[in-house]
Amino acid sequence: MEKEEINSLPSPDVMSLFPEELAEICAAAGEKPYRAKQLFGWIHAQDAVSYEEMLNLPKSLRTYLAEHVPFVYPSVKARQESKLDGTVKFLFEYQDGALVESVLMKYKYGSSLCISTQVGCRMGCRFCASTLNGLERSLSAGEMLGEVYAAGRSEGVRISNVVLMGTGEPLDNYDEVVRFIKLLTHPDGKKLSGRNIAVSTCGLVPMIRRLAEEKLTIALALSLHAPNDEIRQRTMPVAKKWSIEETLDAMRYYAEQSGRRVTFEYALIKGVNDSDDNADELASRISGIPCLVNLIPVNPVAERGLSAPDDAGVARFKKRLEKYRINVTIRRELGRDIDGACGQLRRRFSS
Ligand code: SAH
């Protein structure tokens, strides 16, 4: 009887659940609803990694939970620290052997963690190492929180910024990603500000529109990487599904709904998208959208044979965009000495 009730719950691991859902579990275990608040606090505010340490919960409840609701928490399979800038890259392992990467960047104002949202990726972008072996599975909200909590715990820091720019396409794991954001900003948990969370997408248009309507106050970045459909289709399969025009319309909608400017990521690839004409066309495309363009000299992926323009080429592209009064940054590269680029550490551990 009890088992059936548990099985009908929407999400299996305890870190993925909202207090209301924990209350249902507590009720099924014959406990009072306030126990759910204690349980939520242990997990999301007090950094518990197991039920055993929740000493103010009755032993019978802890036993019930251990039997019915999995507690997933990643272990650190590898850790690399950059000697250049202190950036730490983690390879986390989950109970089923799934491996994901997260990167912790330490800034003057706090620590920022770049997390993975899926194990692998099925988007197929040609310049990206994360997609080479396809998608293994998506991560649950709790597993993504595990990256944040385990990284903070390992380094003894409070993580104040989280970016969903590691392996995976966040909007291909939409429900769990939204749940993750709601849990991370929950007033009884880590209480991050939505403004300190950023999602990056390769451009799943209907999901961008849906996200705009969630009113989460988070920042949104689009991996644009090309000024027109022809070039974009050469490097990003998703561009065959939605045109740049439809994609930019969705981004404009996001900017309107959120009142925030959006970011366009543009990985410069030598001879593919880095000419003056490309800059001019890009500028005309995004004109009128409140935005920032973030230029990223492409990280070479040996399997793909793509390379970046030199520093002068990057600077020229930036200047050309600035002529049109566009805000442009060049991504500062951190952790160059520790396989900084997405998906590269994980690839060394999985055959
Ligand atoms: N799927 C999401 C988030 C993960 S990728 C997205 O596409 O936005 C995070 C960022 O790194 C994206 O902008 C992606 O296009 C970029 N990226 C991937 N491989 C890269 C490489 N080799 N060099 C530079 N940027 C890369």
Side-chain angles (χ1 to χ4, degrees):
M1 174 66 197
E2 280 172 1
K3 260 222 156 95
E4 275 165 28
E5 284 177 49
I6 291 295
N7 286 340
S8 69
L9 285 165
S11 190
D13 63 280
V14 75
M15 271 215 272
S16 292
L17 300 176
F18 292 122
E20 311 81 77
E21 294 164 330
L22 295 175
E24 285 177 40
I25 293 174
C26 290
E31 291 288 342
K32 295 256 165 28
Y34 78 92
R35 295 293 185 194
K37 206 174 153 92
Q38 287 180 311
L39 181 55
F40 192 86
W42 271 113
I43 297 166
H44 300 282
Q46 293 166 69
D47 290 321
V49 296
S50 70
Y51 293 122
E52 290 98 81
E53 64 196 279
M54 303 179 182
L55 290 174
N56 61 350
L57 296 186
K59 179 125 201 342
S60 57
L61 176 58
R62 283 183 271 142
T63 307
Y64 180 91
L65 290 168
E67 280 170 9
H68 294 91
V69 193
F71 198 129
V72 302
Y73 201 89
S75 61
V76 180
K77 169 105 174 168
R79 178 189 178 281
Q80 293 181 320
E81 181 163 353
S82 168
K83 292 189 179 65
L84 304 174
D85 51 46
T87 296
V88 179
K89 185 154 191 165
F90 297 96
L91 185 69
F92 289 121
E93 181 169 25
Y94 293 95
Q95 275 90 334
D96 66 348
L99 298 172
V100 304
E101 293 180 8
S102 320
V103 181
L104 183 73
M105 290 149 284
K106 296 170 186 167
Y107 297 106
K108 284 191 203 83
Y109 56 81
S111 293
S112 177
L113 188 73
C114 174
I115 66 153
S116 295
T117 53
Q118 296 181 310
V119 187
C121 183
R122 57 175 178 162
M123 295 296 125
C125 300
R126 282 190 48 80
F127 43 80
C128 184
S130 298
T131 202
L132 289 169
N133 292 336
L135 177 69
E136 227 171 87
R137 67 176 179 86
S138 284
L139 293 179
S140 70
E143 288 175 319
M144 290 181 260
L145 287 168
E147 295 176 66
V148 179
Y149 299 172
R153 191 184 175 90
S154 161
E155 306 308 301
V157 294
R158 177 174 188 273
I159 290 164
S160 54
N161 288 64
V162 173
V163 296
L164 284 68
M165 285 192 193
T167 296
E169 168 48 45
L171 301 189
D172 186 38
N173 185 18
Y174 187 90
D175 291 342
E176 291 301 310
V177 161
V178 168
R179 184 176 268 272
F180 163 78
I181 293 164
K182 289 181 176 167
L183 287 165
L184 196 57
T185 53
H186 197 284
D188 296 329
K190 290 272 182 279
K191 294 192 266 206
L192 255 74
S193 159
R195 305 191 73 81
N196 293 345
I197 300 173
V199 167
S200 178
T201 178
C202 66
L204 306 185
V205 168
M207 296 297 147
I208 294 173
R209 292 187 167 273
R210 208 172 136 193
L211 191 68
E213 281 156 17
E214 306 268 358
K215 299 274 196 277
L216 292 171
T217 76
I218 57 168
L220 184 63
L222 171 72
S223 296
L224 183 55
H225 303 327
N228 59 49
D229 289 321
E230 193 266 314
I231 296 178
R232 198 161 191 258
Q233 283 171 5
R234 266 195 261 157
T235 50
M236 300 179 72
V238 69
K240 298 194 177 108
K241 200 144 185 201
W242 293 286
S243 67
I244 286 196
E245 197 170 318
E246 287 171 287
T247 310
L248 292 178
D249 276 349
M251 292 302 285
R252 189 179 289 110
Y253 182 64
Y254 190 89
E256 281 163 15
Q257 293 295 308
S258 66
R260 299 194 63 167
R261 71 178 181 183
V262 293
T263 298
F264 297 121
E265 312 276 356
Y266 196 98
L268 284 163
I269 309 172
K270 195 172 168 176
V272 174
N273 64 2
D274 65 336
S275 71
D276 288 350
D277 284 352
N278 296 151
D280 294 342
E281 191 176 4
L282 174 64
S284 79
R285 284 280 182 173
I286 61 178
S287 142
I289 305 177
C291 71
L292 170 79
V293 173
N294 190 20
L295 297 176
I296 317 158
V298 77
N299 263 307
V301 176
E303 290 88 336
R304 300 297 203 202
L306 301 169
S307 65
D310 58 18
D311 288 353
V314 176
R316 204 183 66 210
F317 199 90
K318 176 171 189 271
K319 257 209 162 125
R320 190 101 187 168
L321 289 176
E322 285 170 342
K323 274 206 329 202
Y324 299 92
R325 299 177 168 277
I326 292 169
N327 296 307
V328 188
T329 54
I330 297 173
R331 182 183 284 179
R332 193 156 69 96
E333 204 182 0
L334 292 171
R336 189 175 209 134
D337 53 334
I338 53 166
D339 294 322
C342 313
Q344 294 189 355
L345 180 59
R346 179 172 167 259
R347 278 184 64 69
R348 282 211 277 119
F349 280 81
S350 34
S351 47

